[in-house]
RNA sequence: UGGGGGAUCGUCUAAUGGCAGGACGACGGAUUCUGGCUCCGUCUAUCUAGGUUCGAAUCCUAGUCCCCCAGCCA
């Protein structure tokens, strides 16, 4: 993390794409990204993912990343949020340099481009009220919409009306500027989407200068273009907006063309991430504010004691992909413990005190013991201030944790109990001599005697203790407020199904205690971090005042004893339950899938004819019959000299290898004829080339239209089938991969394929796999 | 349902026709002046069904399930 060397450079589909773009010299090899929040709320850990990706890739490719406030909606935004966003991005560890931008600075340019669209006849002023357009004109996902009666207004009229819109002649919603695209588009976003709307509202930056404001789909792509953004990275829900993004760029004829790419947003278990839900938590006073330490906001996480390094590490470890996923918060907790372990000096505090009287210790005597801040073997990070050790007062009356004493200890108990001997950490070994109870039977005091030979907690050779517990001197303890934070919700996915997420709040997400702490803690300042031994990692809260320290628990220590206790109580953890449920659901789904018997699909007459005439597998026949391009090629190929004998390989070649290409590129014809296909099939049949090579040749044919034989000669693809030629390569591979050979001999038969592959690679893909196999089998016995 | 995306251990993710790998987690053990840290071991996966191939998570076909889009929010 902070000073640990980062593991391998992260790689993912976005970085791969950018690497390819740079290699191809797109945008002169430059990379410009942007992080574009709307300043209408606080950033949360989901935004952190976008920030890490946007700033991270820019840095990795030697480019730059802009921080841009996407402030096109005057009614929701404010300067307070702008400042909060800047603070949080900086805290996370990123720097935008001079590149801070505001969409609101581009309002005039948006307006000019809107007029341009009107003049090109690609936008119009529409008078339809919102609900009318939505109900009567937009259509539905299955039915096309119909055109607005205002769609055919003249350029002059549109221009005049649009200027009046700007001049404030109309009320909110009375008119809107629409793109003139296609009311029948299968993509709802393309059905004449609104570009500029009327809003008589004060904007926090432009004041009352404007009463028309651009909408996201019009503004965002242009902002990217204006700023020279090359890669506009956003989350998955904008996938269907990409077509419109490209339309606006093309229609406005802006010189710079950015490209949008989408990735999956970050979700975490046991929390909510949507702005709407977070707002409800704040407004409903379920939390103390946007920076409540239980909130997934960056401000909340910071106050909770999470480090920016730990958050960046979470993003790095969870990766970038397009799968919609929910990361287990246990991973974040693991990462922050790992990080805090090196940042947090160890001190002691007793959260739920129980008096322990050391009867063998003289009344009134206090001894200062030396206690190291760091356990042996733990290397503190560079930026920690507290090193070495501090003094710990030992006295006759101490406090220990109530949980560390049991009158009737359960099996496996490693703490104090009558007659048991434990080490008081850095203190003395004590033996429990008895308990005192009040009238109600409550334990109020534990009595013990100490062993003077164990000063500092040392145990003479051979001596065993039942365990080690933490403690503080009652005479010298300082009171500190301890805020124990736990997960905000009881369930992994709050609000899942039709549940109300507020009913799934964890009532015990905050416990406030007055703890007894060792005296050194009195000097703690806000931001200081500690590990309270055997309890958890804590940070000193900003609410602390002189003499009144407040500690927030960032994360508890792992507690394997608690797990034992929970298990003996027989309560399955919620995780077990939910994963079990998942599994059942999955199995059910599979059963349901299996039920319908594979109905023998009826072949069309044409497909049946192909199957019968050439002995084709039904599936292949069906594909040929329904794809005219393939069918033409097939019949032409049959007319080639050896075509009739190759009917089946030709058919599979077409249906299996060519079909995908045709569909992917939406080709209506290919640059070669049936004879070429027959020739290719012939080459494969004669084992002049291998099946894998067939695909390479086919791709080349598609690209250049050259004849198969010519391509094989030109690229030197002809197969090597001679054992004499291949034997040395096989020998070499075996010699270089002794470990793989070992695994094969040990029983991992899959290694065989890998060895074939290695020989293949060494031969430039030209070796005949059947011959390789024979050679390998002979060698490996 | 039209369009656009996605499906790999319980979770997240890798493998770009050639040994299904890593991390978290769970379980067991070693070590320990924190039931922490550290170390060792074990567990668990390619949505289904066909096809192509010497070889398929990856290519082809058909299906299943999940997500997004019908704000004048972003």
């Amino acid at each position: 993390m902070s000073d640990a060397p980062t593991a391998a450079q992260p790689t993912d589909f976005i970085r791969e794409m950018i690497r390819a773009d740079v290699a191809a010299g797109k945008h002169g090899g430059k990379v410009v990204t942007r992080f574009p929040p709307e300043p209408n709320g606080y950033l949360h850990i989901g935004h952190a993912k976008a920030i890490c990706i946007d700033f991270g890739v820019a840095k990795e490719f030697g480019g730059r990343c802009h921080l841009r406030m996407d402030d096109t909606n005057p009614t929701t935004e404010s300067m307070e949020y702008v400042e909060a966003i800047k603070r949080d991005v900086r805290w996370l560890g990123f720097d935008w340099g001079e590149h801070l931008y505001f969409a609101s600075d581009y309002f005039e340019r948006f307006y000019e481009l809107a007029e341009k669209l009107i003049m090109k006849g690609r936008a119009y002023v529409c008078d339809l009220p919102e609900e009318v357009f939505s109900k009567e004109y937009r259509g539905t996902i299955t039915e096309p919409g119909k055109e607005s009666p205002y769609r055919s207004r003249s350029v002059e009229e549109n221009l005049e009306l649009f200027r009046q819109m700007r001049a404030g002649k109309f009320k909110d919603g009375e008119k809107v500027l629409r793109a003139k695209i296609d009311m029948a588009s299968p993509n709802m976003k393309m059905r004449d989407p609104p570009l500029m709307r009327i809003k008589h509202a004060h904007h926090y930056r432009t004041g009352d200068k404007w009463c028309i404001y651009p909408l996201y789909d019009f503004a965002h792509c242009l902002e990217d273009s204006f700023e020279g953004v090359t890669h506009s990275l956003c989350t998955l829900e904008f996938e269907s907006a990409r077509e419109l993004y490209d339309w606006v760029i093309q229609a406005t004829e802006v010189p710079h063309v950015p490209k949008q790419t989408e990735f999956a947003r970050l979700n975490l278990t046991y929390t909510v991430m949507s702005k709407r839900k977070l707002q409800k938590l704040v407004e409903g006073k379920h939390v103390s504010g946007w920076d409540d330490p239980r909130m997934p906001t960056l401000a909340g996480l910071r106050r909770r004691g999470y480090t920016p390094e730990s958050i960046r590490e979470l993003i790095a470890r969870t990766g970038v992909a397009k799968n919609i996923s929910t990361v287990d918060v246990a991973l974040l907790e693991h990462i922050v413990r790992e990080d805090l372990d090196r940042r947090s000096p160890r001190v002691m505090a007793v959260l739920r005190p129980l008096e322990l009287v050391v009867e063998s210790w003289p009344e009134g005597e206090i001894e200062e013991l030396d206690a190291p801040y760091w356990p042996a073997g733990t290397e503190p990070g560079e930026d920690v201030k507290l090193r070495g050790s501090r003094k710990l007062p030992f006295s006759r009356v101490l406090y220990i944790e109530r949980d560390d004493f049991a009158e009737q200890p359960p099996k496996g108990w490693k703490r104090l109990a009558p007659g048991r001997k434990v080490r008081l950490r850095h203190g003395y070994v004590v033996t429990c001599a008895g308990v005192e109870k009040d009238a109600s039977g409550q334990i109020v005091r534990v009595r013990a005697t100490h062993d003077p030979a164990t000063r500092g907690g040392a145990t003479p050779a051979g001596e065993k203790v039942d365990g080690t517990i933490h403690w503080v001197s009652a005479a010298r303890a300082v009171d500190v407020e301890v805020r124990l934070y736990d997960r905000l919700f009881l369930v992994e996915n709050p609000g899942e199904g039709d549940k109300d997420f507020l009913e799934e709040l964890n009532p015990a997400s905050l416990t406030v205690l007055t703890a007894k702490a060792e005296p050194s803690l009195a000097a703690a300042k806000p931001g200081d971090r500690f590990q309270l031994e055997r309890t958890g990692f804590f940070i000193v809260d900003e609410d602390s005042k002189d003499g009144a320290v407040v500690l927030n628990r960032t994360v508890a220590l792992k507690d394997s004893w608690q797990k034992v206790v929970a298990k003996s109580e027989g309560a399955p953890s919620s995780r077990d339950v939910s994963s079990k449920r998942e599994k059942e659901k999955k199995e059910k789904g599979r059963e349901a899938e299996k039920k319908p018997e594979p109905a023998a699909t009826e072949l069309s007459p044409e497909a049946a004819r192909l199957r019968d005439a050439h002995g084709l597998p039904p599936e292949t026949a069906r594909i040929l019959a329904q794809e005219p391009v393939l069918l033409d090629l097939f019949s032409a190929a049959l007319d080639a000299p050896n075509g009739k004998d190759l009917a089946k390989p030709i058919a599979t070649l077409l249906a299996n290898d060519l079909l995908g290409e045709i569909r992917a590129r939406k080709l209506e014809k290919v640059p070669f004829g049936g004879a070429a296909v027959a020739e290719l099939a012939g080459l494969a049949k004669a084992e002049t080339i291998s099946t894998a090579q067939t695909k390479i040749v086919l791709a080349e044919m598609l690209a250049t239209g050259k004849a198969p034989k010519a391509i094989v000669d030109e690229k030197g693809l002809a197969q090597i089938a001679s054992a004499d030629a291949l034997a040395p390569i096989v020998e070499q591979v075996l010699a270089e991969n002794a470990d793989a050979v070992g695994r094969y001999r040990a029983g991992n038969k899959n290694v065989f394929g890998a060895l074939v592959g290695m020989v293949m690679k060494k031969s430039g893909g030209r070796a005949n796999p059947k011959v390789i196999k024979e050679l390998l089998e002979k060698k490996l016995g």
Side-chain angles (χ1 to χ4, degrees), chain A residues 312-338:
Chain A
R312 279 189 258 133
E313 182 67 13
L314 177 79
I315 305 305
R317 284 206 215 179
T318 51
V320 182
K322 299 191 83 155
N323 305 340
I324 293 168
S325 60
T326 305
V327 173
D328 192 340
V329 74
L331 176 60
L332 212 212
E333 291 169 351
H334 167 85
I335 290 170
V336 78
R337 280 189 197 106
E338 200 172 73

Side-chain angles (χ1 to χ4, degrees), chain A residues 388-648:
Chain A
S389 60
R390 81 286 189 187
K391 292 292 182 199
L392 224 43
F394 192 92
S395 56
R396 182 178 162 95
V397 183
L398 309 172
Y399 291 120
I400 63 169
E401 211 70 63
R402 281 201 167 266
D403 280 355
D404 284 342
F405 178 80
E407 201 173 10
Q408 277 144 359
K411 207 176 129 226
W413 186 252
K414 291 165 71 172
R415 308 174 184 187
L416 201 61
R420 298 280 183 100
K421 188 155 65 165
V422 299
R423 174 174 25 245
L424 298 175
R425 185 146 162 91
H426 305 308
Y428 287 90
V429 172
V430 297
T431 304
C432 177
V435 299
E436 288 175 23
K437 298 181 183 176
D438 63 13
S440 67
Q442 265 278 325
I443 296 169
V444 294
R445 191 167 294 115
V446 176
R447 292 183 288 108
T449 56
H450 81 290
D451 176 357
T454 59
R455 184 172 187 276
T459 35
E463 191 163 340
K464 282 266 183 285
V465 294
D466 290 310
T468 301
I469 62 175
H470 60 277
W471 57 278
V472 294
S473 156
R476 295 282 190 83
V478 296
D479 282 355
V480 298
E481 179 178 328
V482 168
R483 297 175 183 170
L484 301 178
Y485 294 104
D486 203 343
R487 295 168 178 176
L488 228 199
F489 291 92
L490 259 6
V491 298
E492 286 189 18
N493 298 303
E496 197 186 32
D498 38 13
K499 296 254 179 61
D500 177 3
F501 77 106
L502 290 175
E503 283 173 17
E504 299 176 307
L505 277 165
N506 176 6
S509 61
L510 170 61
T511 307
V512 181
L513 259 32
T514 302
K516 299 290 185 185
E518 62 168 85
S520 75
L521 229 35
K525 294 280 172 290
D528 287 353
R529 299 172 187 282
F530 297 97
Q531 183 197 105
L532 300 190
E533 293 215 49
R534 303 210 306 132
T535 301
F537 292 101
F538 291 78
I539 187 165
V540 179
D541 191 77
E542 59 208 35
D543 285 349
S544 302
K545 301 191 177 54
D546 276 347
V549 171
V550 177
L551 291 174
N552 293 337
R553 183 173 71 191
T554 309
V555 64
L557 254 34
K558 276 216 268 186
D559 190 347
S560 51
W561 172 246
Q562 196 46 243
K563 235 161 31 184
V564 174
V565 172
K567 210 183 289 172
S568 71
E569 283 167 3
S573 74
S574 63
R575 184 188 315 281
D576 293 341
V577 173
S578 71
S579 63
K580 206 168 163 188
R581 203 187 304 133
E582 282 296 312
K583 209 162 199 171
E584 278 165 12
K585 215 163 86 184
K586 219 171 177 175
E587 272 160 22
K588 233 182 205 169
R590 280 180 193 172
E591 272 167 37
E593 268 173 28
K594 277 176 196 161
K595 262 180 212 161
E597 283 300 308
T601 31
E602 201 68 23
L603 287 187
S604 68
E606 175 68 355
R609 188 189 65 76
L610 288 169
R611 178 194 56 191
D612 298 339
H614 307 289
L616 301 184
E619 198 49 39
T620 310
R622 200 178 57 75
I623 294 166
L624 288 188
Q626 75 185 28
E627 200 69 45
V629 183
L630 296 184
L631 193 55
D632 288 351
L633 275 173
F634 183 63
S635 40
L638 290 181
D639 293 338
N642 54 351
K644 293 276 185 296
D645 306 329
L646 294 167
K648 200 174 160 185

Side-chain angles (χ1 to χ4, degrees), chain A residues 113-125 151 153-155 158 177-182 190 192-195 218 243-244 246-253:
Chain A
L113 287 171
E115 281 205 350
K116 184 173 179 183
L117 288 180
I118 291 171
M119 288 190 277
K120 288 175 70 188
R122 307 196 71 173
Y124 62 97
V125 173
R151 201 177 204 257
R153 285 217 253 239
S154 70
V155 167
N158 276 322
L177 182 73
R178 291 189 180 283
K180 194 188 284 185
I181 308 181
D182 178 8
M190 300 298 274
D192 287 11
L195 266 21
F218 182 52
E243 193 180 354
L244 181 51
D246 292 338
W247 184 93
V248 172
I249 292 292
Q250 178 271 329
T252 52
E253 298 174 312

